[in-house]
Amino acid sequence: MHTLFHFAFNVKNLEDTRLFYGQILGCKEGRSTDTWVDFNFFGHQLSMHLGTPIETSVTGQVGDHLVPMPHFGLILNLPDWKQLADRLEKANIDFIMRPQLRFEGLPGEQWTMFFCDPSGNPMEIKGFASLEATFNT
């Protein structure tokens, strides 16, 4: 079964949001009004509405790093993850956690990166050599 994820959240500015999600992340824009815009986020639907973004705090322990909570994200096949990481680095994104390998040689081996959108909404993008390994323990 293939299901789609929908996430709606607040952003400060729709034009900054369009630039970031559309041009930098490469997501196709969908429907919109004067107060919200939808994007195809790698096959899933994100709806960004004008408003005050969710408050976050740097309390999530990821290895030796603390990351913002809450955050949302995506899991990609490793080649797609590497392509996105390269695009973000070329765009000079200010990473919370630069693209890196975690759990090398262990179950759940993954590549990860953390960054925020222009409104400060934090996200983590993970890459796996095999998506079947996502839940390995």
Side-chain angles (χ1 to χ4, degrees), residues 39-56:
F39 279 94
N40 178 339
F41 185 66
F42 302 87
H44 304 279
Q45 184 188 51
L46 293 185
S47 297
M48 291 83 148
H49 295 254
L50 287 175
T52 303
I54 295 171
E55 185 176 329
T56 64

Side-chain angles (χ1 to χ4, degrees), residues 21-22 25-31 37-42 44:
Y21 286 90
L25 291 182
C27 300
K28 183 178 179 191
E29 185 173 330
R31 296 172 295 150
V37 60
D38 283 348
F39 279 94
N40 178 339
F41 185 66
F42 302 87
H44 304 279

